[in-house]
Amino acid sequence: MTRLVSRTNSPHQSGSSEKQLRIYNSLSKRKEQFVPLEPGKVRMYTCGLTVNYLMHIGHARTYIFWDVVERFLRYLDYEVTHVSNVTDISVDDNILKRVKASDQAFQQLVTRYTQDYYHDRHLLGVADPYTYAIATQHIQEMIELVQRLLDKGFAYEAKDGVYFRINVYPEYGKLAGIDPDALRIGAGGRIDMDEYDKESVGDFVLWKRAKPGEPFWHSPWGPGRPGWHIECSAMSAKYLGQTLDISGGGEDNIFPHHENSIAQSEAANGTTYVRYWMHVRHLQLGDEKMSKSTGNFLTVREALEQYNVAALRLFLLSTHYRKPLMFKDTAIQQSQRQLDRFRQVLSRLQAIKEGKVKLSQAEKQILGSIKETKQSFESALLDDFNTGRAINHLIRFVNLIHSFLDTQNNITTETVQELLAFFESVGSVLFGDLYTREIQLKADPVVSKLVELLLQEREQYRHQQQYQQADRIRTILSELGFEITDTKSGTQWWIKSKS
Ligand SMILES: [Zn+2]
């Protein structure tokens, strides 16, 4: 649950030719070189959860991905300010429906699910953003923005609320590739106009007047609540300014949410709202996409009853974020095996004591491979955050070190330190807070001492050919969660994975 702190003292390298980040922009529909508005700084806003239920693993894919984006930008020495919202009113009628269906009061329900949301993010190793922008705490900013849109003629007041008028904003539809004419009345729109008081089908609500029994806030247009889209435009401007470098969410957010956010912000401010739009594809469960509205979903908590959290995170990053991903047991098992191997290699490295002084030829090759792997890892992520490719490079290297440790009699302390530092820097980008919590498992010094003593005993027994006794020690250690292997360079041990 750490908050990422900007490293402002290290040189900003993103300008160097070998580290050019390219991002697929959902607005231009092509990969573009990433150039932030202000050199060295990134203003990032992501759409968080509507807190009407627990987070499902489709959401987890998106939030874990943003975590990797933020961490990799910091890895490149950008100073990142990341703001993410919590939709705790929404005007989201679904919250109101759920309130009606349960006995809980509105505030109790959203408070509970907001806490659950933070908790589940921490479980997944996702860092807290610079700010969680809570919608109900920014009603005043939303009212001011709606007023500005009314003053500029982009909005109008109707009987049941205030609406954005899309036909006076000519760029409407540019993100989703939608023809605004198709949304107008008489053009076969799907929306039943009897339900609304708006002028045109495509117009969307900025402020909704409250019906009896609904939660409300006072406004110049009477008691009511803001429309869903207005919160992101108002809150992102408050914390990050009128133009953001990166923004996005799940692909479902493209239309109408982000299309409407662009219209509101750009109409009100007269300037570009977001320079790079990014959208994560959905997660597929069975034959359908995972979605709260259809009921086809698995919560993060349910998934964690079956799978280790680091294995789940690795699996969710195993496919590039713009490709659909199928939630499959066999694929998660494979991630689990990769994870076990990674932990094993780290423990073996940590257990190596002072090595010999002379650098062997094989060891020199390993040092060269660190450099190559670092480059491949970086170039994968620089290419529109291709996490799947980055993971493949990392795992290939983990396997190489595993075989290397099997065959080497000795290894210098410098190489061990260099390997551990490398694994930590790339592992922390992919695994986030889980790297120290779940991957680089370190035994308590007293425990290590006891394990070492037992292993010396075992060695004595083996020396005296009392194999039964020696095996008994091995069994005891195994039952306590320590794995033992005998290699050319002596007996090594590590903490077994928790599954
Ligand atoms: Zn949003």
Side-chain angles (χ1 to χ4, degrees):
M1 44 169 33
T2 51
R3 174 172 293 172
L4 297 174
V5 177
S6 290
R7 289 178 297 157
T8 45
N9 54 344
S10 43
H12 164 60
Q13 298 178 354
S14 58
S16 60
S17 57
E18 74 273 22
K19 288 194 182 172
Q20 293 289 351
L21 173 62
R22 288 165 63 78
I23 294 180
Y24 179 88
N25 190 342
S26 314
L27 185 63
S28 67
K29 318 269 182 296
R30 57 182 176 81
K31 274 189 208 169
E32 295 173 14
Q33 190 183 317
F34 178 67
V35 184
L37 195 61
E38 195 180 332
K41 295 192 172 158
V42 181
R43 296 174 179 88
M44 175 170 159
Y45 181 93
T46 58
C47 289
L49 195 68
T50 297
V51 282
N52 59 10
Y53 197 56
L54 294 169
M55 184 201 296
H56 63 60
I57 48 172
H59 297 130
R61 181 185 191 193
T62 306
Y63 304 139
I64 288 172
F65 173 68
W66 289 127
D67 192 48
V68 172
V69 168
E70 183 177 353
R71 289 176 193 272
F72 186 61
L73 288 167
R74 286 175 200 278
Y75 177 99
L76 297 175
D77 286 327
Y78 283 108
E79 200 183 311
V80 184
T81 312
H82 176 200
V83 175
S84 190
N85 68 313
V86 176
T87 301
D88 61 341
I89 348 174
S90 189
V91 207
D92 180 284
D93 294 329
N94 286 327
I95 288 188
L96 299 179
K97 272 184 210 150
R98 210 170 262 275
V99 172
K100 276 183 196 154
S102 73
D103 288 335
Q104 294 182 62
F106 166 75
Q107 201 50 51
Q108 265 179 310
L109 188 97
V110 294
T111 304
R112 185 185 124 199
Y113 284 129
T114 304
Q115 292 309 318
D116 288 341
Y117 171 52
Y118 296 155
H119 179 266
D120 291 354
R121 285 174 63 103
H122 296 155
L123 274 183
L124 296 165
V126 173
D128 284 332
Y130 167 75
T131 295
Y132 283 111
I134 314 284
T136 48
Q137 292 171 9
H138 297 82
I139 302 291
Q140 192 51 39
E141 285 86 348
M142 299 180 211
I143 289 175
E144 283 164 20
L145 183 55
V146 173
Q147 188 59 57
R148 204 148 80 237
L149 289 167
L150 278 162
D151 294 345
K152 288 191 161 191
F154 288 105
Y156 61 91
E157 209 177 330
K159 245 191 331 215
D160 58 353
V162 181
Y163 288 91
F164 187 94
R165 185 181 276 131
I166 65 165
N167 63 11
V168 293
Y169 178 67
E171 292 186 40
Y172 192 84
K174 66 180 176 181
L175 177 70
I178 280 171
D179 175 9
D181 287 335
L183 290 172
R184 287 188 195 134
I185 252 180
R190 293 175 288 117
I191 301 162
D192 177 10
M193 284 296 290
D194 293 345
E195 255 191 65
Y196 301 91
D197 189 32
K198 53 189 173 181
E199 290 172 2
S200 174
V201 175
D203 293 353
F204 58 89
V205 73
L206 299 169
W207 186 265
K208 242 182 200 178
R209 290 218 167 90
K211 293 186 188 119
E214 289 179 348
F216 65 86
W217 286 264
H218 292 289
S219 82
W221 320 287
R225 56 191 197 277
W228 169 33
H229 316 298
I230 200 77
E231 71 178 76
C232 290
S233 289
M235 297 194 296
S236 63
K238 173 175 177 171
Y239 293 104
L240 299 165
Q242 294 181 346
T243 299
L244 315 174
D245 290 304
I246 294 175
S247 188
E251 63 175 332
D252 289 355
N253 290 145
I254 293 177
F255 190 83
H257 183 48
H258 289 154
E259 191 66 59
N260 293 353
S261 303
I262 294 175
Q264 294 162 163
S265 293
E266 299 195 351
N269 303 327
T271 182
T272 302
Y273 176 40
V274 173
R275 294 159 57 81
Y276 301 86
W277 277 106
M278 296 173 70
H279 292 95
V280 182
R281 284 298 290 275
H282 59 256
L283 186 66
Q284 189 116 354
L285 181 67
D287 292 333
E288 288 172 58
K289 76 167 188 179
M290 201 170 294
S291 150
K292 207 149 60 180
S293 54
T294 58
N296 183 46
F297 68 89
L298 191 68
T299 65
V300 165
R301 293 175 187 199
E302 286 166 336
L304 292 183
E305 283 168 16
Q306 293 173 54
Y307 304 106
N308 171 274
V309 63
L312 188 68
R313 180 162 169 140
L314 191 62
F315 159 74
L316 290 171
L317 291 170
S318 64
T319 297
H320 188 238
Y321 76 95
R322 286 194 290 114
K323 295 211 172 87
L325 173 64
M326 179 83 85
F327 187 79
K328 258 188 12 210
D329 183 69
T330 46
I332 306 171
Q333 297 298 349
Q334 193 198 335
S335 294
Q336 179 69 58
R337 284 192 294 275
Q338 292 174 335
L339 184 70
D340 288 342
R341 177 55 60 86
F342 191 17
R343 278 171 169 157
Q344 185 180 344
V345 163
L346 288 172
S347 297
R348 289 177 76 174
L349 287 169
Q350 281 162 359
I352 291 172
K353 300 285 170 296
E354 286 295 300
K356 67 169 183 185
V357 183
K358 206 171 170 321
L359 204 66
S360 69
Q361 198 53 39
E363 205 174 314
K364 278 185 195 156
Q365 278 176 6
I366 288 297
L367 288 171
S369 307
I370 297 180
K371 231 177 165 179
E372 277 168 34
T373 309
K374 185 173 183 312
Q375 270 174 8
S376 322
F377 178 87
E378 286 173 2
S379 64
L381 292 183
L382 287 167
D383 182 13
D384 193 28
F385 302 98
N386 196 326
T387 51
R389 224 165 71 205
I391 290 169
N392 289 342
H393 290 302
L394 174 63
I395 297 303
R396 203 173 303 142
F397 186 64
V398 164
N399 289 331
L400 177 80
I401 299 303
H402 184 73
S403 319
F404 172 75
L405 292 173
D406 278 348
T407 56
Q408 287 308 296
N409 284 321
N410 225 327
I411 169 170
T412 63
T413 332
E414 288 75 19
T415 301
V416 170
Q417 292 313 320
E418 201 165 329
L419 281 166
L420 287 173
F422 168 69
F423 282 131
E424 185 164 354
S425 79
V426 300
S428 303
V429 169
L430 290 176
F431 290 99
D433 293 349
L434 298 184
Y435 187 75
T436 43
R437 208 163 75 208
E438 292 281 334
I439 319 251
Q440 198 178 31
L441 298 173
K442 282 183 188 152
D444 176 271
V446 178
V447 172
S448 301
K449 196 91 197 150
L450 287 170
V451 173
E452 299 288 342
L453 274 171
L454 280 167
L455 287 178
Q456 280 171 23
E457 281 292 293
R458 175 174 172 261
E459 206 43 49
Q460 284 286 345
Y461 284 128
R462 292 204 325 159
H463 199 69
Q464 295 157 6
Q465 300 189 341
Q466 296 186 37
Y467 296 115
Q468 220 177 338
Q469 296 288 49
D471 285 349
R472 200 171 65 87
I473 292 181
R474 187 195 191 109
T475 310
I476 290 170
L477 283 170
S478 173
E479 281 167 6
L480 291 171
F482 301 98
E483 195 73 57
I484 286 150
T485 188
D486 298 305
T487 70
K488 271 192 191 174
S489 51
T491 304
Q492 295 176 347
W493 63 275
W494 64 88
I495 304 168
K496 277 194 291 194
S497 71
K498 296 180 267 176
S499 55

